[in-house]
């Protein structure tokens, strides 16, 4: 008997399934009852099935052991010239279409006996299993470690977002007070309460008044956004007429549309039912959508605000004939402080907050915003509101 067989005799390898020490002759584990050969076959099959291009494997244990010849040599179970002769014989038979495994050939040529060969195969299967278990354990450890790292990163990101939200909220509130002073004094000056004004001074004050109004809107948006992101939106739901709301939006945007050379149209179906929502916020939503429509359409284009009844919902839409949004960038437009053209030379003004807030407001009404768009042809942005049962 070789040293290898002696080694096996000393050594009780662990069962790959339950980990208990295995008596060396066993083909099933006396502890958990698993069929060791079957377990090996199934594991290897499952593995090989996932490897592209791998050939189907036979159910012979020897076929599972890579480089069995080297293994037998390394453990002094066959001699090198015996192995070479068996390999030559195997080749010779294969040429006559008689395919045999190396173990079978070695046994037939009398270089190894059946029992020793089976033991060698068994032990190597167990070694392979142990290696597989060890690799799995390492993998699990690495997955655990990576998950921990990702969780930490997520936590840090959460903290950073919180700091950002606090910063926006604090700065916005702090900007309000000095802005109120500026606006107050501009009004006093314009009304002549602080003395007579020249025409140029009046014009300068008008510019100041417009700019402070813009700044005030921006600060209100920032406060609204940071509050909504932190605490969610608390809605003040009430019955309202969509036609009236649309008319308000038309009034607020008509000057801007005219200045931009855009034709603004209303397409509100007659006799729409009374809806229920936070009307003030919904007006803000429509204003943002129309404002975008005008901004991203420009001279010679058209923007339409429309609504129609469809079963128990009302569809509301803003359609423009403007620059459009590439299909793969639609999700981006909802990111706060994000504009599709974020370059320093960008053509369009704004902070990139409008649609982020529009989405939050619509979602808090249980509604989803939809965008259909074709670059250089225009966009259709829409959402639906339910008709309350008493209005239907
Ligand atoms: N109707 C539209 N046509 C083409 N692109 C649009 C349209 N609406 C929005 N976008 C794109 O989505 C981006 C985000 O829109 P959003 O309204 O959030 O920000 P903004 O209009 O740039 O700034 P703000 O609304 O804060 O003044 C815009 O910068 C633009 O790139
Ligand atoms: Mg906008």
């Amino acid at each position: 008997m070789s040293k290898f067989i002696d080694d096996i005799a000393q050594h009780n390898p662990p069962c790959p399934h339950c980990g208990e020490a295995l008596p060396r002759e066993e083909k099933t584990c006396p502890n958990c009852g698993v069929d060791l050969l079957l377990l090996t076959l199934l594991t290897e099959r499952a593995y090989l099935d996932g490897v592209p291009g791998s050939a189907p494997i036979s159910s012979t244990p020897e076929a599972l052991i890579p480089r069995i010849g080297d293994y037998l040599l390394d453990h002094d179970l066959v001699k090198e010239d015996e192995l070479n002769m068996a390999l030559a014989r195997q080749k010779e038979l294969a040429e006559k279409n008689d395919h045999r495994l190396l173990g079978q050939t070695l046994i037939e040529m009398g270089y190894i006996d059946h029992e020793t060969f089976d033991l060698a195969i068994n032990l190597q299967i167990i070694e392979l299993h142990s290696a597989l278990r060890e690799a799995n354990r390492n993998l699990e450890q690495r997955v655990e470690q990576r998950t921990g790292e990702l969780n930490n990163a997520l936590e840090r990101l959460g903290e950073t977002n919180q700091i950002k939200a606090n910063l926006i909220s604090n700065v916005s509130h702090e900007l309000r007070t000095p802005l109120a002073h500026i606006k107050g004094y501009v009004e006093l000056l314009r009304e002549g309460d602080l003395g007579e004004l020249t025409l140029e001074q009046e014009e300068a004050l008008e510019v100041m008044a417009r700019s402070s109004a813009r700044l005030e809107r921006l600060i209100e948006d920032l406060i609204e956004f940071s509050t909504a992101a932190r605490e969610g939106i608390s809605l003040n739901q009430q019955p309202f007429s969509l036609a009236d709301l649309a008319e308000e939006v038309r009034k607020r945007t008509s000057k801007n549309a005219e200045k931009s050379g855009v034709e603004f149209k209303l397409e509100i179906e007659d006799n729409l039912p009374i809806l229920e929502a936070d009307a003030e916020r919904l007006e803000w939503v429509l204003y943002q959508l129309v404002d975008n429509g005008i901004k991203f359409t420009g001279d010679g284009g058209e923007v339409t605000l429309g609504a129609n009844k469809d079963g128990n919902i009302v569809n509301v839409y803003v359609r423009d004939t403007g620059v459009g949004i590439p299909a793969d960038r639609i999700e981006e437009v909802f990111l706060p402080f994000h504009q599709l053209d974020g370059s320093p030379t960008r053509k369009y003004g704004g902070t990139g907050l409008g649609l982020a807030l529009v989405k939050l407001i619509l979602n808090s009404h249980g509604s989803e915003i939809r965008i259909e768009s074709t670059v250089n042809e225009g966009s259709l942005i829409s959402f639906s509101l339910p008709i309350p049962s008493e209005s239907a």
Side-chain angles (χ1 to χ4, degrees), residues 288 292 295 354:
Q288 289 299 321
N292 278 352
K295 182 160 58 174

Side-chain angles (χ1 to χ4, degrees), residues 170-187:
N170 292 348
V171 170
S172 318
H173 279 103
E174 285 309 307
L175 288 175
R176 247 183 185 169
T177 321
L179 183 63
H181 290 153
I182 295 173
K183 277 189 69 182
Y185 280 109
V186 167
E187 274 319 297

Side-chain angles (χ1 to χ4, degrees), residues 103-104 106-108 111-121:
Q104 194 185 352
L106 283 165
I107 293 167
E108 279 166 9
Y111 296 143
I112 192 165
D113 63 68
H114 230 298
E115 192 202 353
T116 312
F117 184 72
D118 278 356
L119 274 171
I121 294 277

